[in-house]
Amino acid sequence: MSLTSAAILATLDRTGPRRITDLAVVEGVTQPAMTALVRVLEESGLVERRDDASDKRVKLVCLTEADASYVRTRREAGVHAFERLIGKLTGDEVEALMAALPALEHLAELESQDREGPKR
């Protein structure tokens, strides 16, 4: 799976169903490129297109149940890998990480706001 495809799946897991045009903006690709990526993900059974309840002309891309489970499993694997690695750090290094957490969380919020923009 490409990094872009994985990023699309993670975005959908985090933010819920999105329009293809919104996904293209978030992921920094063109709308035609996003349409092609979504088509491949759809053919793989990872995403599906559904009607937007507020506008029947619009289709939203959303995770299938199987893929939502896959994304969560991958995220948990990443968490466990970091837990294992953090366990190898010295006490001072762990304290330094803890002290940096508020700034890192703020950076993540800023990046998320920049990438995701308004949810429709």
Side-chain angles (χ1 to χ4, degrees):
M1 179 178 298
S2 72
L3 289 176
T4 303
S5 294
I8 293 166
L9 299 177
T11 295
L12 291 172
D13 185 56
R14 227 179 18 262
T15 66
R18 303 289 292 251
R19 294 176 179 206
I20 286 181
T21 53
D22 292 341
L23 282 172
V25 170
V26 169
E27 301 304 332
V29 300
T30 65
Q31 187 271 331
M34 182 57 67
T35 299
L37 286 164
V38 166
R39 187 178 317 115
V40 169
L41 292 171
E42 193 172 27
E43 290 169 357
S44 299
L46 301 173
V47 301
E48 59 189 8
R49 298 178 206 219
R50 294 185 188 155
D51 291 331
D52 183 342
S54 65
D55 186 345
K56 295 297 181 194
R57 299 169 297 170
V58 173
K59 292 287 189 183
L60 297 175
V61 179
C62 55
L63 295 177
T64 61
E65 284 303 315
D67 190 56
S69 175
Y70 170 77
V71 170
R72 284 189 285 279
T73 299
R74 294 293 304 153
R75 185 175 293 125
E76 288 171 11
V79 167
H80 293 304
F82 271 110
E83 286 174 343
R84 183 179 54 77
L85 292 171
I86 289 171
K88 295 180 179 183
L89 298 177
T90 67
D92 288 344
E93 291 168 330
V94 171
E95 284 182 31
L97 280 177
M98 296 295 290
L101 282 178
L104 293 171
E105 288 172 347
H106 187 222
L107 282 174
E109 289 170 13
L110 293 172
E111 191 273 340
S112 179
Q113 290 169 2
D114 284 351
R115 288 188 71 211
E116 293 171 6
K119 187 176 175 182
R120 294 184 196 188

